[in-house]
Amino acid sequence: MTVELNKILLSSKEIAGFLKKTCEKGVAFKFTAKGMSMSPFICDGDSLIVEPITEKGNPEIGDIVAFINPVKGFLVIHRVIEKQNQRYLLKGDNVYYNDEYCNNKDIHGIVKKIVITHKNFRGPDRILRKFFLFINNFKKPVAFLSR
């Protein structure tokens, strides 16, 4: 853990631990995304608000979920593209390969809000990002196109 000008920089494993504990208590979790695997919907530097999964609110196809890789222990934010019973196939929107199937217990929350904080998006680029966030509301077609 590193402290930098009113920010605490955590590794993916540390964030995964905080997210898991927070969601287990039924509280939403906010953090800054790193990486581009979900671009253009989520870009490096965007703030994400992840809400815990409730008994009534299991992830559906098209949802963007917070998944903790059970082998490596790091946090992954990817989209559900297929569901079989209580197993989910996840994929980043900007990658060419699927993740392996994961169990319901490894998914700790659903991304409910994306806050564009990346300062490089101005003018037309910012409008385009807002358009992508708008079409993200149509989860099933976006999941289909992600395949």
Side-chain angles (χ1 to χ4, degrees):
M1 178 168 49
T2 308
V3 177
E4 176 187 293
L5 295 175
N6 297 326
K7 291 184 180 181
I8 299 174
L9 303 176
L10 303 172
S11 71
S12 181
K13 287 183 179 182
E14 290 170 320
I15 292 173
F18 281 121
L19 177 113
K20 182 178 178 180
K21 294 289 184 191
T22 304
C23 286
E24 284 173 356
K25 293 182 181 197
V27 178
F29 185 80
K30 181 180 178 182
F31 68 100
T32 301
K34 293 304 248 173
M36 296 299 285
S37 69
M38 284 299 294
S39 177
F41 293 101
I42 300 171
C43 290
D44 193 60
D46 288 346
S47 292
L48 306 180
I49 298 176
V50 177
E51 292 186 2
I53 294 174
T54 62
E55 290 178 18
K56 297 178 184 176
N58 284 329
E60 297 296 329
I61 292 175
D63 282 340
I64 299 172
V65 297
F67 159 72
I68 298 176
N69 182 301
V71 176
K72 297 180 181 174
F74 57 79
L75 177 64
V76 178
I77 304 294
H78 279 175
R79 186 181 305 279
V80 175
I81 61 168
E82 189 176 307
K83 181 178 174 181
Q84 293 181 355
N85 300 323
Q86 293 299 310
R87 293 176 49 81
Y88 300 88
L89 182 61
L90 307 178
K91 181 180 180 292
D93 291 346
N94 195 30
V95 293
Y96 296 107
Y97 55 88
N98 298 337
D99 297 325
E100 294 186 25
Y101 278 91
C102 67
N103 294 314
N104 197 31
K105 67 178 178 54
D106 297 320
I107 297 176
H108 296 282
I110 299 174
V111 175
K112 291 295 184 177
K113 187 169 183 180
I114 302 165
V115 180
I116 299 173
T117 55
H118 203 283
K119 295 184 175 39
N120 291 336
F121 292 105
R122 289 188 168 77
D125 290 339
R126 191 166 182 87
I127 292 168
L128 187 60
R129 280 295 312 283
K130 289 195 178 273
F131 171 73
F132 281 123
L133 292 177
F134 170 74
I135 65 170
N136 192 51
N137 292 319
F138 305 97
K139 295 176 184 178
K140 288 189 179 184
V142 171
F144 175 78
L145 292 172
S146 291
R147 299 186 99 199

